[in-house]
Amino acid sequence: MTQTSNRTQATRALIALRERILSGVLGPGTRLLEVPLAETLAISRTPLREAMGRLVEEGLLERARGGGFVVRSFGPQDVIDAIELRGVLEGTAARLAAERGVAAEPLAMLEQLTAQLDGCFGNSPGELDFERYSELNAQFHDRLSRLAGSEVIRREIERVTRLPFASPSAFLADGANASAFRHSLHVAQDQHHALVAAIRGREGARAEALAREHARLARRNLDYVLAEDRSLLSRLPGLALMIG
Amino acid sequence: MTQTSNRTQATRALIALRERILSGVLGPGTRLLEVPLAETLAISRTPLREAMGRLVEEGLLERARGGGFVVRSFGPQDVIDAIELRGVLEGTAARLAAERGVAAEPLAMLEQLTAQLDGCFGNSPGELDFERYSELNAQFHDRLSRLAGSEVIRREIERVTRLPFASPSAFLADGANASAFRHSLHVAQDQHHALVAAIRGREGARAEALAREHARLARRNLDYVLAEDRSLLSRLPGLALMIG
DNA sequence: ACGCTCCACAATGTATACAAAGCCGTGATC
DNA sequence: GATCACGGCTTTGTATACATTGTGGAGCGT
C-alpha cells in the first residue's frame, strides 16, 4: 500500500485522522466533513465513518448535534483534571494491588523495571538516557495498570491515558528534553521506588497517595509550560488539542 | 414508525440491541452476526454496524479478533471492580467539589434533594416510597457527578455508570424491592447527608471516603444476592451480563 | 426595516452490491 | 496417522448510489 498500511481502510483512516488531530492540522472545534475528508484520504465514506466512530471512543472527537463529528477541545482545566484523573485511577490500581496482593512474578517485573530506570541516570547530575527512560517509564505504568489484576481498572486507565496529555509519557516526548523536566525525573524515579515498596508491603493507602502525587508531577510540568515556556506547547504531544 | 422510534435507524438499532443485551436475550460471549441481526431488526447492515460501534463505546460489546462484535461478559469480580470504580470516581468528584468549592446554587440543589429523599421515609419502619426514592437517588448522583464542575470527571462517571450493575440505581430496580435492600437505604441516606455536609465544610478527604463507602453499599447488596438469593439475579438490571 | 416562510443545497444517514479476508473441511502427501 | 495445503463458503469490509434531514438564504409580507 502507498499509505500508512495496516490491514483495513478504517484502520488507516483512524491512524491518519489521529495524527492530524494530535498534530493540530485538524484543530479543536473543527467540524469533519465526510466527503472532502474521504477524498483527501482516498477512501470511501464508509470506513471513514467507522474510523470517526472509534475516535469518539478515544475521546478525540465528539458527535455534533444534528449529526457529524467535531474535534474535541480541552481547556487547561480539562487537561489538569485528566491528569488528576489518571493519578486517581493509577492510585486505585496501586491500592487494590496492595490490598489484594500481587503474585511474585509481576511484582518482580516491576522491580526490575525500576532498577533499569535507575540505570538511565549516570553518575554526573546531567547525565541521562532520556529515550530509554521514556520507554521504560511507559512500561512501568503499563505494568502498574495491570497489577491489580482487574481488567475493568486496566481498561479505564488505558482510556484516560489515550488522551496524550494525560499519558505518563506526556512530558517525556522527544522535543521536550527540557532541563526543568529532567530535574523532575529524579523525583519521579524516587516515587517509583516508594510505590513498589508500598505495594510489596501491602500499604494500600500509601501506594494510592504516591501514585496520585506521582501524576501531579505531570501537572507541575504543565503549570511550568503554561506559565514559563509556552513555546513548549507546540512540541508536546496532544497539547494541540488544548485551547485557551 | 412501527418500531421503537427515535429518528435514525442507527438509534433504533442501538436501543433494540441494548435491550436485548441487558435482558439477556443476547447473552455474554454471543457473537453478533450482522446479516441475520439486520434482518431481525429490519434494517440494513450499515446503521447496524454504527449501533454496534456505539455499544462498544458503552462497554456492552467488544470487537472480536478478526473482526465482528461479541457481547461482553463480566465475572463477579468485574462487577465488584466496576462498583469500586464508581465509588472512586464519585469520591473524586466529591473531593474536588470540596477542595475547589461549589457555588451556592448547585449545593443548595443537592441539599434539597437529600431533604426530598428524607421525605420518602415514613414514620413507621417499613414505610417507604420506593419509586420516588429511586428517582431522587438517581438525580442526587447525577448532580454529584457535575458538582466539581469538571466535564472530564462527569464524563467518566457517566461512562462507568452506563454499566447497569455499576449504576447508583442498580439495586433500586422495580423488581428488587427486597427488605434487605430497604434496610440499606437508611444507611445510604445517612451517607447522603454526611457527604453533602462534608462538601459544604470543604472536607475533601471525608467527602471522598464517604462516597466510596456509599458505593460499597451496592457491593454489599451484590454479595447478598450472590450468597443468599440468586433468584434476584434475573430481576436486577444488567446482571444478565454477568457470568459465573 | 424586520421577520417569517419556503425553497434549494449541502451534508449526513441508509441501502445494496461487490470485494476481500478468515475459517473450516477435505484431501493428499509424508 | 498426522499435518499441511488448497478450495469453497461464510462473514466482514468497502464502495457507491440514493434518501433524508437540517441549514442557510432569498424573497415576500407586514
Side-chain angles (χ1 to χ4, degrees):
Chain A
M1 293 282 161
T2 60
Q3 295 284 5
T4 37
S5 57
N6 284 43
R7 49 193 184 292
T8 71
Q9 299 285 58
T11 305
R12 277 191 282 277
L14 177 65
I15 293 168
L17 279 181
R18 193 193 282 132
E19 197 280 330
R20 274 158 216 241
I21 293 166
L22 295 183
S23 70
V25 174
L26 296 170
T30 306
R31 176 154 191 183
L32 271 49
L33 297 185
E34 296 177 8
V35 175
L37 246 188
E39 206 165 314
T40 303
L41 301 176
I43 59 173
S44 78
R45 284 175 55 216
T46 310
L48 175 59
R49 298 191 69 179
E50 166 88 22
M52 295 197 294
R54 296 205 194 186
L55 286 169
V56 173
E57 286 178 46
E58 281 190 30
L60 261 43
L61 294 182
E62 298 180 306
R63 298 181 196 275
R65 64 160 192 110
F69 298 85
V70 171
V71 179
R72 194 164 162 204
S73 28
F74 297 86
Q77 189 60 53
D78 291 321
V79 176
I80 289 169
D81 290 343
I83 292 171
E84 177 74 16
L85 187 57
R86 167 168 67 91
V88 166
L89 293 174
E90 288 186 334
T92 299
R95 171 173 63 85
L96 292 180
E99 289 173 355
R100 297 176 179 175
V102 176
E105 190 234 313
L107 193 54
M109 185 67 197
L110 209 61
E111 281 169 341
Q112 189 195 325
L113 277 167
T114 57
Q116 290 178 294
L117 279 161
D118 280 332
C120 296
F121 299 95
N123 293 324
S124 61
E127 203 180 336
L128 171 66
D129 188 341
F130 192 78
E131 209 163 315
R132 183 169 154 79
Y133 183 93
S134 179
E135 165 61 22
L136 289 169
N137 180 66
Q139 276 185 46
F140 180 93
H141 283 267
D142 180 63
R143 293 273 171 183
L144 175 61
S145 77
R146 301 171 194 275
L147 207 62
S150 166
E151 178 61 17
V152 170
I153 302 290
R154 205 221 91 244
R155 221 178 155 105
E156 224 43 36
I157 293 178
E158 188 195 347
R159 183 178 161 71
V160 174
T161 283
R162 277 240 184 84
L163 296 175
F165 47 74
S167 140
S169 309
F171 294 89
L172 296 177
D174 290 348
N177 199 345
S179 58
F181 298 166
R182 281 171 171 259
H183 172 70
S184 74
L185 295 192
H186 286 87
V187 180
Q189 173 62 357
D190 190 66
Q191 290 171 334
H192 288 155
H193 278 288
L195 185 54
V196 173
I199 292 170
R200 181 176 278 288
R202 312 291 291 261
E203 302 164 284
R206 182 183 171 210
E208 178 165 19
L210 279 163
R212 287 189 182 188
E213 203 56 29
H214 186 58
R216 288 188 192 114
L217 276 182
R219 179 183 167 162
R220 269 202 255 171
N221 287 336
L222 175 69
D223 289 341
Y224 171 82
V225 169
L226 289 176
E228 305 292 335
D229 187 359
R230 297 183 73 97
S231 74
L232 278 171
L233 278 179
S234 52
R235 269 181 283 164
L236 288 168
L239 283 181
L241 285 166
M242 198 175 74
I243 57 175
Chain B
M1 293 282 161
T2 61
Q3 295 284 6
T4 35
S5 58
N6 283 42
R7 47 191 180 294
T8 71
Q9 300 285 58
T11 305
R12 276 191 282 278
L14 176 65
I15 293 169
L17 279 181
R18 193 192 284 131
E19 198 279 331
R20 275 159 216 241
I21 293 167
L22 295 183
S23 70
V25 174
L26 297 170
T30 306
R31 176 153 190 185
L32 271 49
L33 297 185
E34 296 177 9
V35 175
L37 245 189
E39 206 165 315
T40 303
L41 301 176
I43 60 174
S44 79
R45 284 174 55 217
T46 309
L48 174 60
R49 297 189 69 175
E50 166 86 23
M52 295 197 295
R54 295 206 194 186
L55 286 170
V56 173
E57 287 178 46
E58 282 190 30
L60 262 42
L61 294 182
E62 298 180 307
R63 297 182 197 275
R65 63 166 184 102
F69 298 84
V70 171
V71 178
R72 195 166 161 202
S73 29
F74 297 87
Q77 189 59 52
D78 292 320
V79 176
I80 287 170
D81 290 343
I83 292 171
E84 178 74 15
L85 186 57
R86 166 167 67 91
V88 166
L89 293 174
E90 288 186 334
T92 300
R95 172 173 63 85
L96 291 179
E99 288 173 357
R100 296 176 180 175
V102 177
E105 190 232 315
L107 194 54
M109 185 68 198
L110 211 60
E111 281 168 340
Q112 189 195 325
L113 277 168
T114 56
Q116 290 177 295
L117 280 161
D118 278 334
C120 296
F121 299 94
N123 293 325
S124 60
E127 204 181 336
L128 171 65
D129 188 340
F130 191 78
E131 210 164 313
R132 184 171 154 79
Y133 183 93
S134 177
E135 165 61 21
L136 289 169
N137 179 66
Q139 277 186 45
F140 181 94
H141 283 267
D142 180 63
R143 292 274 169 181
L144 175 60
S145 77
R146 302 170 194 275
L147 207 61
S150 165
E151 179 61 16
V152 171
I153 302 289
R154 206 221 90 244
R155 222 177 154 106
E156 259 352 84
I157 293 178
E158 188 196 345
R159 184 178 160 72
V160 174
T161 284
R162 276 240 183 83
L163 297 175
F165 47 73
S167 142
S169 308
F171 294 89
L172 296 176
D174 291 348
N177 199 346
S179 58
F181 298 165
R182 282 171 171 257
H183 172 69
S184 75
L185 295 191
H186 286 88
V187 179
Q189 173 63 358
D190 190 65
Q191 289 171 334
H192 288 155
H193 277 288
L195 183 55
V196 173
I199 293 170
R200 181 175 279 288
R202 312 291 290 261
E203 301 164 285
R206 181 185 171 209
E208 179 166 20
L210 279 164
R212 288 188 180 189
E213 203 55 30
H214 187 58
R216 289 187 190 114
L217 276 182
R219 178 181 169 165
R220 269 202 256 170
N221 287 335
L222 175 69
D223 288 341
Y224 172 81
V225 168
L226 289 176
E228 305 293 335
D229 187 359
R230 297 182 74 97
S231 74
L232 278 170
L233 278 178
S234 53
R235 269 181 283 165
L236 288 169
L239 284 182
L241 285 165
M242 198 175 75
I243 57 176

